[in-house]
Amino acid sequence: MQQLKQTHIIWIVLTVAVLLPLIFPLKLPLGPSPEGEAAYSFIDNLPQGSISIMVLETAPSNEGELWPMALAVARHHMEKQHRIIMATFVPDGTMYAEKIRALAESDYGYVYGKDLVILPYRAGGETALASMADNIRAAYQQDHYGTPLTDYPLWADVKSIKDISVISCYTAGDDHLWLARHVWAKYQVPCISGNIALSTPEAIVYFKNGQLVGLISGVKGAAFYEQKINMPGLATQSMDAQSIGHLYLLLLMIGGNIVYWKQKKDGKNGKQGAKKNV
Amino acid sequence: MSNDPKIWLAAIMSLGIYSYLFKENPFFRVCEHLYLGLSLAHLAVMGWTNVRDLGLTPLKNGQWSALIPVVLGVLLFARFIPGMAWLSRYSLAYLVGVAAAVTITGVIDAGIITQIRGAIIPLNSLNAVFTLIANVTAISVFFFIIGSRGENGSVLGNKTFQKLIDKSALVGRFILMVSFGAVFGTTIMARLGLFIPRLKFLFGDWIHLIPPVK
Amino acid sequence: MKRQGPVLVAFVTGVIVLAGYFFNSQTVVDMSTQIVRWQNIVAAFALALGGVNMFRLHGKNIIGRKKNWVYSCIFMVAFVSYFVLGVAKSTTSAEYQYIWQNLYQPAASTMYSFTLFYMTSACWRAFRIRNWQAAVLMVTGAVVLLGQVGIGAAISEAIPAVSAWIIDTPNAAAIRAITIGGSLGMVVMSIRVILGLERTYMAGRQD
């Protein structure tokens, strides 16, 4: 019971510590992100009308990190008047694609079919992505709404994956590896990965090797991107709370170890004392 | 506080799930089973749309080759029928065979050749020298064959070379620990990234305590 | 038939897909592309497996009036009604999206955010410096933890710089080693699967 109470106190303090900077922002500095900068520059330098594919592997389980960055990159594409194709290999992805479509139509005057298309969900993960890369026109005949893709002017300009200027993915899984394997290695189409912070230590290697032209990493990467396009949003708002959360968990680790070492020392002293008494 | 019934519905679901943190209770279990039902139904619906668009519609249009994957897909469910479960092995074999081949086609270049090429850099700075040492020592941690021992406990291969590998692997282990530390740090960041949006929803969209963003 | 047949299927499909990649024959490439595309359909069937399994489990609970069968009823109502809605009116319908947005999405996000709480408890109770490896892990973890966010830069400009160096240099070297080792393992395992030497995917059933 004592253990349970201590756990609850730890959790309540965590909630309050993270909540306070959301209510009262601290406006802490964000710091650089060279890989995020590379992603921004690449997209920024694409000419108007370029076709990009956004692979939305976003789901409720990871939307806290991936949705802000997908939104920021989509806005950037729209600002630069690029044409966007959205694809997904997770069942929830099309829900987020529809949100981007709504934003594109309301805020940027995009016309569905001409400037933007949503491809249907495809099961199979890596194999489905490989299938798209190998023959995109064979892999997709209809859009998400069941309309033949040949009805859309945008699709007329997509003969193969090589007609795509950049493919970006927003993933909590291995999509950045799949892109490196099946898109970059086979067809040399530039790829950008937007991934959860947890994948950064792995994805950074692919960026350094040149297999990814840019990397947007977790909430920090999303916040960095939001600031680059001058549209601070969901991720920027979260960064102060992230700071305090990190600090709190670090203090818990240090505190836990101090208690551990003290207990260990007391235990040793106790044993020595017991021996002396004997 | 929000007047929108949609926000209230979402808030009730969130609170129901969070109530588990206090202790398991009926409110949580109702929300849990509701969530489970919806999520599995959503998966099934998305699967159905794929089967309909890629399998059944082509069949209806006379593309008989689509019968092969449809039959293989149906056979997956044979695992629920006693005595016929072995039939699902055909579907699994197909899935595994294709996945294995697709893996080979992608991994050799992206996972091996490009990685080795990426490790070879000009030694024009202290950092580059360190990178080389880190690369070599980290790889040596995975030299299991050289490090293995014979039946009588003797080291297989040259002893001096073996000692060198052992020392290199020790440094490599240090490098790996540094990497795992980085993974640990980013893991915490990722987990906070899941929690903060829920707080923003409950204390922002619902209670209006957190100022909204565009 | 029960064991050799599936091995033959894995072999034939694997070899055709590989041949499509390595040989420049249009017929082989077309066959390979077709086989890979069919995989989408079979994988789509697999998505329903979990649902069917849970349907059976909760169905048995309800029929047998087992403990907590009322919760099984909730599962059934949610599963069946949402599935019927999705099939009958499509996932793009307003009703389907309403439920996804206001019931499924908040529940799923909340469920996954649980992990932070258990990680917080682990920070207090489990992460102990017992040896030099743990010390290295914790120190680098702490630097990366602070370096990734603004508070690190607010404490010292050096923290984000060191954090970036850790991720870019020693971490990259370690990940590269793991990637090379893992990739070699994946290739070997894939070859074993195609050649029928690796048959663990058939395990678990006696008949």
Side-chain angles (χ1 to χ4, degrees), chain B residues 40 77-82, chain C residues 48-64 66 72 75-76 79-80 205:
Chain B
L40 288 171
F77 295 91
R79 63 190 301 111
F80 296 121
I81 306 166
Chain C
L49 276 179
V52 172
N53 210 12
M54 291 301 279
F55 186 86
R56 281 159 43 97
L57 185 84
H58 286 284
K60 280 179 191 165
N61 277 355
I62 295 168
I63 291 165
K66 289 184 184 166
S72 295
F75 169 85
M76 278 295 188
F79 180 77
V80 174
R205 294 273 168 184

Side-chain angles (χ1 to χ4, degrees), chain B residues 8-199:
Chain B
W8 273 85
L9 203 57
I12 289 168
M13 276 303 269
S14 305
L15 290 179
I17 303 284
Y18 273 141
S19 68
Y20 180 79
L21 289 172
F22 177 64
K23 67 175 189 179
E24 183 150 349
N25 60 78
F27 184 25
F28 166 75
R29 298 211 72 178
V30 168
C31 294
E32 180 201 21
H33 282 77
L34 201 55
Y35 159 64
L36 202 61
L38 294 177
S39 75
L40 288 171
H42 181 57
L43 276 182
V45 170
M46 296 310 281
W48 158 252
T49 53
N50 267 227
V51 171
R52 184 194 60 201
D53 297 345
L54 301 174
L56 303 182
T57 310
L59 266 179
K60 222 189 279 175
N61 297 335
Q63 292 177 32
W64 294 103
S65 62
L67 199 61
I68 298 169
V70 170
V71 169
L72 283 171
V74 171
L75 285 184
L76 275 174
F77 295 91
R79 63 190 301 111
F80 296 121
I81 306 166
M84 291 175 77
W86 60 274
L87 281 170
S88 68
R89 287 176 184 166
Y90 280 88
S91 321
L92 287 175
Y94 173 80
L95 288 172
V96 169
V98 174
V102 168
T103 302
I104 293 175
T105 62
V107 139
I108 293 175
D109 190 312
I112 302 170
I113 298 169
T114 314
Q115 300 302 332
I116 294 170
R117 204 183 292 142
I120 302 166
I121 49 169
L123 297 176
N124 51 11
S125 68
L126 200 62
N127 201 43
V129 175
F130 177 82
T131 304
L132 176 74
I133 294 169
N135 277 322
V136 171
T137 54
I139 287 171
S140 67
V141 176
F142 301 101
F143 281 2
F144 298 118
I145 296 169
I146 298 169
S148 64
R149 288 171 189 275
E151 280 177 13
N152 56 0
S154 64
V155 174
L156 298 174
N158 186 302
K159 276 190 179 177
T160 321
F161 184 58
Q162 179 57 48
K163 275 185 186 166
L164 193 71
I165 291 291
D166 284 348
K167 290 227 164 73
S168 172
L170 191 70
V171 180
R173 218 168 295 142
F174 177 85
I175 300 292
L176 286 183
M177 284 303 145
V178 172
S179 176
F180 296 154
V183 172
F184 168 66
T186 52
T187 303
I188 288 183
M189 185 166 203
R191 298 305 167 222
L192 265 164
L194 300 180
F195 177 57
I196 292 169
R198 295 322 298 153
L199 276 185

Side-chain angles (χ1 to χ4, degrees), chain C residues 124-140:
Chain C
W124 175 247
R125 295 210 176 86
F127 296 146
R128 299 284 183 254
I129 301 178
R130 291 197 168 91
N131 51 38
W132 71 266
Q133 283 106 326
V136 173
L137 193 147
M138 194 167 281
V139 170
T140 47

Side-chain angles (χ1 to χ4, degrees), chain A residues 3-4 6-7 10-11 14-15 28-30 32 35 60-61 63 91-92 94-96 98-99 121-124 127-128 130-131 134-135 138-139 144-145 181 186 200-202 204-206 208-209 217 220 239 242-244 246-253 255-257 259-261, chain C residues 21 33 36-37 39-41 43-44 47 82 91-92 96-97 100-101 104-106 108-110 112 116-125 127-130 138 141-155 157 160 167-169 171-173 175-176 179 183 186:
Chain A
Q3 190 88 334
L4 199 69
Q6 193 186 54
T7 305
I10 289 170
W11 290 349
L14 168 76
T15 308
L28 291 164
L30 191 59
E35 57 278 4
S61 57
E63 65 170 24
D92 297 312
T94 49
M95 297 292 181
Y96 296 91
E98 293 213 38
K99 288 185 188 181
Y121 158 71
R122 284 283 181 267
T127 323
S131 182
D134 291 340
N135 191 341
H144 170 53
Y145 306 99
R181 286 173 194 166
K186 293 180 189 171
T200 309
E202 185 192 36
I204 197 90
V205 179
Y206 288 77
K208 284 170 75 77
N209 289 345
S217 165
K220 187 197 173 186
M239 280 313 287
Q242 283 273 354
S243 276
I244 301 304
H246 283 203
L247 189 65
Y248 175 62
L249 265 75
L250 186 60
L251 290 176
L252 278 181
M253 273 193 289
N257 272 287
V259 171
Y260 167 68
W261 285 101
Chain C
Y21 179 70
T33 310
V36 173
R37 265 215 321 277
Q39 206 253 16
N40 296 348
I41 306 172
L47 281 180
Y82 203 45
T91 56
T92 53
Y96 193 91
Q97 300 232 347
W100 190 91
Q101 198 75 48
Y104 169 72
Q105 188 268 342
S109 316
T110 310
Y112 283 96
L116 176 70
F117 289 92
Y118 297 113
M119 190 166 242
T120 310
S121 300
C123 280
W124 175 247
R125 295 210 176 86
F127 296 146
R128 299 284 183 254
I129 301 178
R130 291 197 168 91
M138 194 167 281
V143 174
V144 171
L145 208 53
L146 291 176
Q148 290 288 306
V149 287
I151 200 139
I155 295 168
E157 286 293 325
I167 291 177
D168 277 357
T169 310
N171 163 69
I175 295 293
R176 200 168 271 141
T179 305
S183 301
M186 281 167 84

